[in-house]
Amino acid sequence: MNWNYPFETTEYFFILFFILAYVTFIIRTIRVARQLNTTARTLILKLFLRTIYFALLVISLLGPSFGEADQALQSKGKDIYLLVDLSKSMDATDVTPSRLEKVKFEINRFVQNQRANRIGIIVFSNDAFVQVPLTYDAAALELFIQSLQSDLLPSSGTNICGAADLAYKKLVNGDDPSGRSKMMVIFSDGENRGDCVGYLHNNLRRFGIGVYVAGIGTKNGSSIPSEGKPLKDNKDNLVISKLDEDFLQNLATNSKGFYYQLNNEKNEINRMITDINNANGTLVDTRTVTVVSNKYYYFLGAALFLLLMDVLITIGTFRL
C-alpha cells in the first residue's frame, strides 16, 4: 500500500489528543459509576469501536493507494493567429477605456485560456505584419500585447482582408508537419476596410481554417482622441468612428466562421473562448502514465459505519 500524504505532526497531534481526551472520559465515567454503585461495562465495547474508527479516519486522511492502472493522456493542439486592428479608429472611446485597450485586456485573458495551443499575433492597419510568430510562450505574448498602440504602424486605415490573407498564408505554409487545427481570431471595428477577393473566403473554407471575428465598438460610434483633442478631418469636421458590423458579420459568414460582439453592453469573448476550446483539435501527442488510485473512501465509509454504531450504543450508569 502507498500513501498520498506523509505521516506528519498533524496526525501525531490528533492521536495524542484522542488518547488524552478518551482517558479523561473513561476516568470520569468510572468515577460516576462508582458513586452510583453501578458498572459501565459498555465502556470496553465503546473503547474498542472508537479506537478502530479513529484509526480508520487517520488512515483515510493519509490517502491510502493500492492497485495501478494505465491511463492514456492525449494532447490536442491548435495554431491560432490573433489579428489585431491598430488603425486610428481603435482609439475611439465608445468602449471604455478605448477600443484598443479593451481588446488588449481580452486578448490577455484569451491567451491565459489557450496554454496548450500555439498563438501568434498579426497587427494591421492598411498593411499587415507578423508581430509574434506562432509560439507557446505566453509570457512573451503578454509582453507584446501590452506594447500594442495605434501609432505602431506607419499608416492608418483598416485592411482586414489583407491581414486575413497573411494569416491564411502563414497557417497553410507553416513549418508544422503534424497538420494541427488552424484558426484566426480577428479583433476590429471593421471601419475603412478593404474588399475581400472571393478566393480568400474559398481558401479559408477549403483548408478548414476557423475564423472568429470580434466586432469592437458601437453603431453610434464616438470621436477619436488625438493629442488630447477630438480628431477632425481636413475640413475641420469632427471625425466619428462607428462599428461596421455588417461587413464583419459578412466576413464571418462567407468564411463559415463566427461573429461576436464586444462593447460596454455586450461582451461575447467568453462564448468565443468556449467555441474555440470546443473546436476539434489535432492529436499531437499521446502518453501512457501509470496512475495509483486513492482508496480513502473505503476506510472513511467503514469509520462512519462504526461511528453510527457508537452513537446507538449507550453507557448505562443508573440502576433502577
Side-chain angles (χ1 to χ4, degrees):
M1 183 181 296
N2 298 316
W3 307 96
N4 290 326
Y5 307 101
F7 203 93
E8 294 181 339
T9 307
T10 303
E11 285 72 26
Y12 286 114
F13 170 78
F14 280 121
I15 292 174
L16 180 61
F17 178 79
F18 172 78
I19 294 174
L20 292 176
Y22 206 78
V23 168
T24 303
F25 170 75
I26 291 176
I27 294 173
R28 182 176 177 277
T29 304
I30 292 177
R31 182 180 299 173
V32 171
R34 286 179 177 177
Q35 291 175 352
L36 297 174
N37 295 320
T38 60
T39 61
R41 295 177 180 142
T42 50
L43 268 177
I44 299 175
L45 178 58
K46 278 189 171 287
L47 174 61
F48 178 73
L49 284 176
R50 291 174 180 177
T51 302
I52 292 178
Y53 71 66
F54 178 78
L56 291 173
L57 288 173
V58 172
I59 292 173
S60 65
L61 285 175
L62 296 176
S65 299
F66 49 88
E68 297 181 348
D70 290 337
Q71 181 175 344
L73 298 181
Q74 295 182 343
S75 175
K76 293 186 176 182
K78 307 178 181 77
D79 284 347
I80 305 172
Y81 263 112
L82 306 178
L83 282 58
V84 185
D85 186 351
L86 294 187
S87 60
K88 189 63 180 176
S89 62
M90 291 294 287
D91 288 332
T93 56
D94 53 349
V95 179
T96 54
S98 72
R99 294 175 182 174
L100 183 55
E101 289 302 317
K102 181 63 173 177
V103 166
K104 289 163 63 174
F105 173 80
E106 296 298 342
I107 289 178
N108 262 322
R109 193 156 64 91
F110 177 85
V111 169
Q112 294 300 320
N113 282 273
Q114 304 296 323
R115 295 289 189 176
N117 302 324
R118 294 198 306 177
I119 298 177
I121 299 177
I122 290 177
V123 295
F124 66 94
S125 56
N126 275 336
D127 299 309
F129 304 91
V130 176
Q131 188 191 37
V132 184
L134 293 169
T135 180
Y136 289 109
D137 193 342
L141 285 167
E142 292 171 8
L143 181 63
F144 279 103
I145 290 168
Q146 292 306 315
S147 69
L148 295 177
Q149 301 293 335
S150 60
D151 58 0
L152 189 63
L153 299 181
S155 59
S156 190
T158 305
N159 185 1
I160 299 176
C161 300
D165 187 52
L166 176 61
Y168 157 73
K169 292 176 181 176
K170 292 295 181 180
L171 289 168
V172 173
N173 301 320
D175 58 354
D176 175 44
S178 62
R180 298 159 63 95
S181 296
K182 304 178 188 303
M183 304 174 179
M184 64 176 71
V185 183
I186 302 172
F187 294 90
S188 175
D189 54 24
E191 201 173 46
N192 298 324
R193 80 281 179 185
D195 293 327
C196 294
V197 292
Y199 70 79
L200 175 60
H201 301 302
N202 294 333
N203 287 336
L204 294 176
R205 295 193 300 265
R206 175 187 174 190
F207 288 94
I209 295 176
V211 177
Y212 302 83
V213 182
I216 174 74
T218 61
K219 291 184 177 180
N220 292 329
S222 71
S223 60
I224 304 173
S226 179
E227 298 180 354
K229 300 177 182 179
L231 183 66
K232 295 183 178 181
D233 60 17
N234 295 332
K235 297 181 179 181
D236 205 33
N237 295 320
L238 188 65
V239 175
I240 301 295
S241 174
K242 300 179 181 181
L243 170 68
D244 192 341
E245 193 168 46
D246 291 338
F247 170 76
L248 295 175
Q249 286 180 328
N250 288 334
L251 173 62
T253 300
N254 293 333
S255 304
K256 289 190 176 180
F258 304 89
Y259 176 76
Y260 308 89
Q261 296 183 47
L262 180 56
N263 51 56
N264 291 337
E265 280 85 39
K266 196 167 187 179
N267 186 337
E268 296 184 317
I269 298 301
N270 285 335
R271 184 166 68 88
M272 173 194 286
I273 292 174
T274 300
D275 289 345
I276 291 176
N277 289 339
N278 291 338
N280 290 330
T282 301
L283 183 63
V284 296
D285 187 26
T286 301
R287 298 181 183 180
T288 301
V289 295
T290 300
V291 179
V292 291
S293 180
N294 190 344
K295 304 295 186 180
Y296 75 93
Y297 44 84
Y298 291 138
F299 298 91
L300 181 60
L304 293 177
F305 174 75
L306 294 178
L307 177 61
L308 178 62
M309 291 185 61
D310 182 27
V311 172
L312 298 176
I313 298 175
T314 59
I315 298 178
T317 55
F318 294 92
R319 179 177 296 173
L320 296 179

